[in-house]
Amino acid sequence: MISSLRNRVVQNASKCIAQTACNIQGTPTVLAYHRPSSYQDAFGRSLPDRSCARGLVGSLCSSRRSFMSEGGAGTGEGNHKAPEQENASGTPGEEKAAGAAEDEQGKLVEKLMAENKELKDKVLYTLAEMENVRTIARRDAASAKQFALQSFAKQLLDVADNLNRALASVPKEALEEGGEAGGKEGGGSSLLATLVEGVAMTDAQLQKVFAANQIVQYGKPGDKFDPHMHDALFEYDEEGREGGSVGQVLKTGYTLNGRVIRPAQVGTVKKAV
């Protein structure tokens, strides 16, 4: 009983293996089964040799492996080529969507480039403004340093004018006569000469202080008239002088570091018609 059951199992296994090989190859194959040599069991019945059954199963497995090794490469290439062909032959809807995506990306790139240009212009404008601010600040600082004494100097100009008027109020003849009289008699004329000399020394010292602080006096008869440096109060005829020149100086002018802090008040000579 056990032997017959074993025989049926071996036969069914052989048939299944043969059918599987046929399905794998894709063509119907008729499996020729030859009854192998048998041996007698205890009851005298012949049984198939188990080595023959194992050999049949091994041959079928070998044929399956060879089929897979030969046909697998072609199947793999087909599997690899199929996606490429599928991608190459896209549907019109997919192509349209891809084109729309590219257009959207192009618009986005153009927008970003425009924003980049705008931001770059703003940065350059800001840098230029900052440089202008620094330049103006440096110029204002230098100007404040150079002309810090302008207000004080303008107030001292009246003192210098009064000293000049004091010197101009004493005629030279009186000083000469006073000097001669003082040498003979030692009267008050010598005191006048000493006073005038002191005023002259004070004026000279004040002019030195002005020069040390870049305050320069200008304005003499015969100078060429400059509307930026002179105030023409009147015009008159005078022979021997060039027309348009300074004939008389009523009040001298002053400059501080090259800037006019007070123009000279003058009378000009008329030009010949």
Side-chain angles (χ1 to χ4, degrees):
M1 182 176 180
I2 295 173
S3 299
S4 62
L5 181 61
R6 183 183 300 169
N7 290 333
R8 285 197 296 268
V9 170
V10 171
Q11 291 177 2
N12 292 332
S14 300
K15 291 179 181 181
C16 290
I17 293 171
Q19 186 64 33
T20 302
C22 292
N23 293 334
I24 293 172
Q25 293 177 358
T27 56
T29 303
V30 177
L31 182 63
Y33 177 73
H34 298 281
R35 185 178 183 84
S37 60
S38 60
Y39 60 94
Q40 296 293 328
D41 58 1
F43 298 96
R45 289 173 294 186
S46 60
L47 296 174
D49 191 1
R50 286 175 292 179
S51 62
C52 293
R54 286 196 297 269
L56 178 60
V57 173
S59 63
L60 290 175
C61 292
S62 299
S63 64
R64 180 181 180 184
R65 284 194 297 269
S66 63
F67 171 76
M68 293 297 293
S69 62
E70 291 176 359
T75 306
E77 291 177 357
N79 292 334
H80 288 294
K81 292 180 180 180
E84 296 178 359
Q85 296 176 357
E86 183 178 359
N87 293 333
S89 60
T91 60
E94 293 178 353
E95 294 179 355
K96 185 176 180 181
E102 291 180 358
D103 294 341
E104 188 69 22
Q105 291 180 356
K107 292 179 181 180
L108 180 60
V109 170
E110 292 178 358
K111 181 180 178 181
L112 292 176
M113 291 179 65
E115 291 179 356
N116 185 24
K117 184 177 182 302
E118 183 179 359
L119 292 175
K120 184 178 180 180
D121 293 340
K122 288 182 179 180
V123 169
L124 294 177
Y125 179 78
T126 304
L127 292 176
E129 284 293 326
M130 292 176 64
E131 184 62 26
N132 291 335
V133 170
R134 284 194 292 267
T135 301
I136 294 173
R138 286 194 296 266
R139 184 175 59 195
D140 291 344
S143 178
K145 183 178 179 181
Q146 289 181 355
F147 304 106
L149 298 175
Q150 181 173 350
S151 177
F152 178 69
K154 290 177 71 174
Q155 293 177 6
L156 288 179
L157 296 182
D158 294 333
V159 177
D161 292 339
N162 291 331
L163 293 175
N164 289 328
R165 293 190 187 98
L167 292 175
S169 64
V170 180
K172 293 182 179 180
E173 294 80 6
L175 293 176
E176 292 175 357
E177 293 177 359
E180 294 177 356
K184 295 179 181 179
E185 301 178 357
S189 298
S190 61
L191 295 176
L192 178 61
T194 304
L195 178 61
V196 171
E197 184 179 359
V199 173
M201 292 176 63
T202 303
D203 182 64
Q205 185 66 31
L206 182 60
Q207 294 300 326
K208 288 181 180 180
V209 173
F210 283 170
N213 291 276
Q214 304 299 321
I215 302 173
V216 181
Q217 183 182 17
Y218 72 92
K220 295 180 181 179
D223 292 344
K224 186 176 181 180
F225 177 77
D226 186 354
H228 299 288
M229 302 181 68
H230 300 95
D231 278 345
L233 301 181
F234 59 90
E235 190 177 25
Y236 68 101
D237 294 326
E238 183 177 353
E239 295 181 0
R241 290 190 183 274
E242 183 182 359
S245 62
V246 176
Q248 297 181 11
V249 179
L250 304 179
K251 185 182 290 187
T252 57
Y254 288 89
T255 60
L256 175 61
N257 291 315
R259 177 191 292 182
V260 177
I261 58 176
R262 191 184 75 178
Q265 296 179 1
V266 301
T268 59
V269 179
K270 289 183 179 180
K271 293 183 180 180
V273 180

